[in-house]
Amino acid sequence: MSDSGVIPLEEVEIPQLEEYPVTESVKLHGPPGTGKTTKSAARVGRLLKNHDYDLRDVAWCTYRTALADDTLQRLHEWELVDEWELRNRREGATKLIGTAHALGYRLCNGLGDPVEPKHQAAFCAMQDIPFQSPEPWMKTRGELLFDTFYWLKKNLYDPSDSADVVEAPSYEALQNRWPGVDVPEQWARWTEYKREKDVIDYHEMLEKPLERRMSPGTPILVIDEYHDAYPLLAKLAMMWMEDSEIVIVAGDPNQVVNSFDGATPEFFEAVDLPKILLEESYRVPEGQMTMAEAVLSNAHHPPAISPKSTMGDVREYISPAFRYTRDLGWEVPTRGEEGSPGWLVDKYGEDMMFLARTKQQVAGIGAALEEAGILYTSQEDLGGWNTDEAATRRELFNALQKIRGLSPGDFSGWNTGFDAFHGDGDRSVSTAVELEAEEAAELMRLTKSKYHAESRSKMNERASRLRDTGSTLRLRELDKLVEPEFWRVYSQGANSVSNLNKTGGMQEMDTGERRALVRALNRYGESVDVDDISVQALTMHASKGQEAAEVVVYDGVTRTIRQGVRLDDTAEANEWRTWYVALTRASERVHLVRDAFDWTSSFLPGNLLTKTRRLVADGGEQ
């Protein structure tokens, strides 16, 4: 294994290679942790190294941008993608490695820029329709309207046809929030708005290649995560498959969890290629796999695969209560309470993923992590430290960490080209440390002007210039821009936050964000790259393809989900698959947490842990 953890190409075992050589098309059924992407890449790698193909002969289509990036990195480790191609992935030989939307966009020239939320917000504002939700789990009229548009397009319906509109699952909720809404009329207005702004929706990146019958046209085509395909994407993928010589389709019908988007296991099963079941999971231990299969068996017959050789561990807790009100916000468990998010991280470490069924539950978990001062990542609208909404506190966190403990005397006597060091016990701080552009800009904008050596307007100009150029700022260069008193006030870590301006940065820092910043500075002693934050808080749907040593699964579904499961067999099967995905993310332990949210009811059987232990003892037989 390389230093990066990537297994060398020649060491990757390719199942049924003699029966299905790499020159033949195949369908890889990859249950959780079996390495379907690695196996796909190995087949492509052998083709490139041992047969008359090069990288320009490969189109690789995946559902998520992150997996496309991981695939390129893997090919780079195998010396099949060079450094320039890795950095310039949208050009040259790698331009056909990406999401289906990216490939469709690159194949069709002149499509216009992609729609952004600001366009949707502006369109709604023109009609005095609310668009931005006060909370991510609440749907406005505008959001429900766009949900209806996009479901119809993904499922090959026509938003201009009233008979088609009623098929959209969100249409009833839209009517309730907006009585008398005329969706076909709104669709016509939205289409005209896009034309005026020269922007396109993401579904058009799939529709345009279909309309123009444009395929990558490469001899080799890989379609990964095909279990996520919905009707529009599946239709395009089938066309692309017909136009390639060697096709590799990878997915797992038992991990189809987006039936609300139109995804179904039937798309994977309909691919008419020899199917290879990947029979060994490299991630999921026996105990977790047995439990997950017991859950999945409520809707499907799990395939027989070999789990990771270790037994793993499953633990169960009754959670302290999470409560939410619009007026007061979140009341969450403290880190000292057994079973709370803070307690779990303190006890088991930060290689931990928290999973819950809904965004509101995840928001509560995030609030508890912030209460404990724990840095975490999340989906874009759920407040994690990786998100746009957390940009100001993230940049300030790093800036305040980098200047922690410094004083004016630390900047005297340094020589150009040499770092000056200030000794503080067994810790040394380099005054040659660099602030990234955004870190420096936020620090300049949010520190009080009385501590600046020049006017507020000049500091703001410097901050803007740093952002525009992406330049870094050394601390010894910052020292020239501030008064000596600046270091006493702003080098005190968490104690410095009370001296920051409340506005003036990329966004206003409300009381909750300032409190989160203080607690994080108290917990951690140094700056952090967002890519190195290992605690995650996600919905189960967003966890596909992710893993962690420790996974915390919150049992509980809302009344709406419960009713949907009772009324619709398809929804019920999708629900069991969703929990199967959640229970197969851990490489060490699964922590089942119950009774956390009083507006949810239990979904997992109360005797699941007992049943799992009995099944393990009986050799896994149901």
Side-chain angles (χ1 to χ4, degrees), residues 341-536:
W343 182 87
L344 286 162
V345 172
D346 286 345
K347 185 173 180 64
Y348 293 100
E350 296 203 355
D351 188 359
M352 182 171 287
M353 180 189 302
F354 292 86
L355 300 179
R357 183 60 180 82
T358 67
K359 286 186 175 183
Q360 186 173 11
Q361 291 167 288
V362 175
I365 294 164
L369 291 169
E370 288 184 355
E371 189 78 17
I374 296 166
L375 301 180
Y376 70 100
T377 61
S378 73
Q379 293 142 264
E380 183 53 48
D381 54 354
L382 289 176
W385 284 70
N386 58 315
T387 62
D388 290 344
E389 59 191 300
T392 291
R393 62 179 147 106
R394 180 176 66 241
E395 307 304 347
L396 279 172
F397 173 85
N398 279 338
L400 293 174
Q401 293 286 32
K402 289 178 179 179
I403 68 175
R404 188 195 285 255
L406 290 175
S407 64
D410 296 319
F411 297 90
S412 60
W414 58 264
N415 296 315
T416 301
F418 295 89
D419 290 351
F421 290 92
H422 165 66
D424 181 10
D426 61 354
R427 186 170 65 92
S428 293
V429 179
S430 170
T431 60
V433 164
E434 293 180 334
L435 295 176
E436 298 297 327
E438 296 291 356
E439 297 167 359
E442 288 301 287
L443 186 64
M444 288 177 177
R445 289 180 188 264
L446 287 172
T447 53
K448 294 180 178 178
S449 56
K450 67 181 179 179
Y451 301 118
H452 296 167
E454 53 189 25
S455 69
R456 166 63 69 186
S457 61
K458 285 190 175 181
M459 286 294 266
N460 286 345
E461 287 175 11
R462 287 183 181 276
S464 295
R465 192 159 56 248
L466 280 169
R467 281 204 173 106
D468 291 342
T469 62
S471 303
T472 57
L473 183 73
R474 288 197 170 196
L475 296 188
R476 60 196 188 196
E477 294 167 345
L478 174 63
D479 181 58
K480 300 174 186 177
L481 306 176
V482 298
E483 298 291 348
E485 187 71 359
F486 169 93
W487 299 104
R488 184 190 67 79
V489 173
Y490 293 111
S491 66
Q492 306 304 310
N495 292 331
S496 301
V497 175
S498 61
N499 289 303
L500 293 168
N501 292 325
K502 292 184 179 180
T503 60
M506 286 164 22
Q507 59 196 37
E508 182 176 348
M509 286 187 64
D510 61 25
T511 301
E513 287 204 302
R514 294 166 73 85
R515 187 166 57 241
L517 177 60
V518 167
R519 288 176 173 154
L521 286 166
N522 278 328
R523 182 181 178 95
Y524 300 93
E526 58 185 20
S527 61
V528 64
D529 188 307
V530 69
D531 291 335
D532 294 331
I533 298 174
S534 54
V535 177
Q536 303 172 72

Side-chain angles (χ1 to χ4, degrees), residues 11 20 28 30 64 81 99 180 224 254 278-279 295 329 339 349 358 369 384 474 510-511 527 542 551:
E11 295 181 15
Y20 302 111
L28 302 181
R64 295 177 295 123
V81 171
T99 64
D224 204 350
N254 293 323
L278 305 182
E279 298 178 330
V295 166
T358 67
L369 291 169
R474 288 197 170 196
D510 61 25
T511 301
S527 61
V551 173

